[in-house]
Amino acid sequence: MTNRFRLVIIGGGVAGLALATRLGNTLGRSGKLEITLVDKGFSHVWKPMLHCFAAGTARNENDRITFVSHAAAHGFRFCYGEVAQLDRANRRITLAPLMEENNQLLLEERHLDYDAVVFAIGSRANDFGTPGVVEHCMFLDNVVEANNFNERFRHAIIQAYGRGTPVDIAIVGGGATGVQLAAELHKALDIGALYNFTPVTPEMRVTLLEAGPRILPAFPQAVSDAAQKQLEALKIDVRTNTMVSGADQTGFILKDGSRVNAQFRVWAAGVKAPDVTRDMDGLEYQRGGQLTVQTNLQSTVDDHIFALGDCSFVKDAPVAPTAQVARQQAHHLARYLPGYIFNNKPVPDFRFRNRGAIVALGDYNGWGAFADGKTFGGGFLNGLSARLGHMALYRQHQFELYGPFRGAIACFTDWLAGFVRPPVRMD
């Protein structure tokens, strides 16, 4: 039996794991706070890297952070499971039963009692109810989906080399995920050609469909134009102002009645919270399922509940669903939750500080944009500065979670592995 304050963090993404790590280092190790991180997976990966895992240009085995070992090293507990129900009156969370692959019951539902809970369960692509998308499209919202895509992609490439047939891929969504995936797939094919399967590299036809007037709408117009020009130089068919009205086993149906046929159909458009947020015992949520919070990230309904990252919507000061926002919100709660927990001090309002954004198109090009609209990258050494900046953000994430010593070791082992492993996954 313990009298320690029980903090439960739901979700081990950028925000959830950063919060658990920081509070674990300061209060969990000392025994002042009981911290439990809940996630339906066993490991964490940096979500902005998922397109690389899908293309096979990065091996996620080297980029995963295992929750169990990380929790043991940083003063918190890890609980494997998925939230099924929230009982606010009794401050209790119910975790769904665990099932084996053959649909046999592995573990009954379990319960976690809390004094405060933080929802950080991230987001998924939003199909907007478009017919056939859920049944016939692939998503890249987590490492499992990225691995599934990569396995199918590798098999298709092997068939294409052997039969001399093209590979058709259609991606819906001209945001960073869709644009970077399109470029990364071409990078994978270019590298794969070095393996000399046949004298002739098979054709890969990639179509990028965007409903809006331009790709990368979060970036300045100049970056959108330059990125589209680069994609078209890679023979990627970029179609803007193109609305998808449905999907089937062979492609996408467009609003004008035409079709885009594709062996691979990827949906990378829109953002919504996981469906479970709609069943959280009366909490206020938005149309996309995001939990509505005050500017201090506290629920508008229950002061014992917080939400941050992509699964939250700040009612009076909305922010974009990006890793940068999630990270800053986690740092904010890590700083002020101790005062709320131990001294009943209110958590002050969160204020987002825009540090800009970076998009990297494989080894082909890259751009960055500052908060004031100024851009960098492109042209000089094919956007080397932006691509290095994108990698620096990933290393910063590693150092934050691992600490300087283990972070340096992680960088060194990645560099060392580059000498002995192939640059693209083909096994």
Side-chain angles (χ1 to χ4, degrees):
M1 214 42 202
T2 178
N3 293 320
R4 290 184 299 169
F5 191 96
R6 299 161 300 182
L7 176 67
V8 177
I9 301 170
I10 310 295
V14 169
L17 190 57
L19 179 60
T21 301
R22 288 201 163 204
L23 290 179
N25 287 338
T26 56
L27 299 173
R29 283 174 172 172
S30 63
K32 296 179 180 179
L33 184 63
E34 182 181 307
I35 306 166
T36 303
L37 177 70
V38 179
D39 198 276
K40 62 180 181 180
F42 285 105
S43 58
H44 163 91
V45 297
W46 196 49
K47 195 171 181 178
M49 287 283 287
L50 287 177
H51 66 282
C52 297
F53 302 148
T57 53
R59 282 185 175 270
N60 60 70
E61 293 87 349
N62 302 306
D63 296 286
R64 295 184 185 186
I65 297 176
T66 305
F67 288 130
V68 172
S69 59
H70 193 76
H74 294 277
F76 63 92
R77 298 189 306 170
F78 170 67
C79 182
Y80 174 65
E82 187 172 8
V83 175
Q85 187 176 4
L86 175 70
D87 182 353
R88 292 196 293 116
N90 295 303
R91 296 187 197 169
R92 172 169 287 189
I93 293 168
T94 300
L95 301 181
L98 295 179
M99 309 298 292
E100 295 184 275
E101 292 184 2
N102 60 6
N103 211 31
Q104 295 295 311
L105 179 66
L106 179 64
L107 193 63
E108 299 80 6
E109 68 177 25
R110 294 150 293 153
H111 303 283
L112 285 174
D113 294 324
Y114 67 86
D115 295 302
V117 61
V118 178
F119 282 93
I121 52 179
S123 64
R124 292 190 58 82
N126 193 346
D127 63 87
F128 304 105
T130 307
V133 170
V134 173
E135 296 84 359
H136 302 295
C137 293
M138 303 187 75
F139 296 81
L140 297 180
D141 293 312
N142 54 58
V143 69
V144 174
E145 293 175 347
N147 283 343
N148 289 341
F149 178 92
N150 179 253
E151 183 176 7
R152 288 186 56 187
F153 177 66
R154 285 186 285 115
H155 292 169
I157 292 297
I158 292 172
Q159 289 179 330
Y161 271 105
R163 298 171 180 172
T165 54
V167 178
D168 289 309
I169 302 172
I171 304 168
V172 177
T177 299
V179 168
Q180 292 181 138
L181 175 65
E184 206 69 26
L185 291 173
H186 266 276
K187 175 183 174 181
L189 187 66
D190 288 344
I191 297 173
L194 301 176
Y195 288 90
N196 293 318
F197 289 106
T198 62
V200 180
T201 300
E203 181 183 8
M204 184 167 66
R205 299 183 296 220
V206 180
T207 304
L208 182 65
L209 306 172
E210 167 56 41
R214 62 188 178 96
I215 62 173
L216 299 176
F219 287 79
Q221 181 76 46
V223 172
S224 297
D225 293 342
Q228 180 164 341
K229 185 178 179 180
Q230 178 65 66
L231 292 178
E232 290 172 345
L234 296 173
K235 298 183 179 180
I236 295 171
D237 182 8
V238 180
R239 304 189 192 182
T240 55
N241 294 308
T242 303
M243 184 73 72
V244 174
S245 61
D248 56 28
Q249 292 180 338
T250 58
F252 289 110
I253 303 99
L254 306 185
K255 190 176 181 179
D256 63 6
S258 62
R259 291 182 57 88
V260 174
N261 292 324
Q263 177 184 0
F264 287 87
R265 300 162 299 282
V266 182
W267 192 272
V271 174
K272 70 173 184 177
D275 293 338
V276 69
T277 58
R278 302 172 187 271
D279 300 318
M280 290 295 102
D281 196 12
L283 295 181
E284 183 183 359
Y285 61 88
Q286 299 296 305
R287 184 178 179 181
Q290 296 90 345
L291 296 173
T292 307
V293 295
Q294 305 171 55
T295 48
N296 67 350
L297 307 181
Q298 216 163 13
S299 166
T300 56
V301 176
D302 191 327
D303 288 346
H304 299 282
I305 296 175
F306 297 80
L308 69 165
D310 294 359
C311 74
S312 69
F313 176 82
V314 184
K315 189 173 185 178
D316 297 320
V319 288
T322 65
Q324 180 184 181
V325 170
R327 179 174 176 268
Q328 289 188 27
Q329 289 178 335
H331 292 181
H332 181 79
L333 284 188
R335 180 178 181 181
Y336 292 108
L337 269 182
Y340 164 85
I341 292 170
F342 299 114
N343 301 311
N344 202 29
K345 291 182 178 180
V347 175
D349 291 344
F350 166 75
R351 289 182 175 83
F352 173 58
R353 293 171 175 80
N354 191 348
R355 309 297 186 191
I358 294 176
V359 61
L361 305 188
D363 291 336
Y364 305 110
N365 222 322
W367 299 267
F370 294 110
D372 60 4
K374 295 180 180 178
T375 63
F376 64 91
F380 178 67
L381 293 180
N382 292 325
L384 177 63
S385 59
R387 289 186 285 115
L388 289 177
H390 191 272
M391 180 55 66
L393 290 176
Y394 174 54
R395 296 305 181 191
Q396 179 188 44
H397 178 67
Q398 284 186 311
F399 272 75
E400 179 181 345
L401 295 177
Y402 281 135
F405 180 69
R406 292 184 65 203
I409 292 177
C411 291
F412 177 73
T413 54
D414 283 350
W415 173 78
L416 199 62
F419 289 97
V420 296
R421 72 185 182 203
V424 64
R425 183 176 181 178
M426 298 300 293
D427 59 329

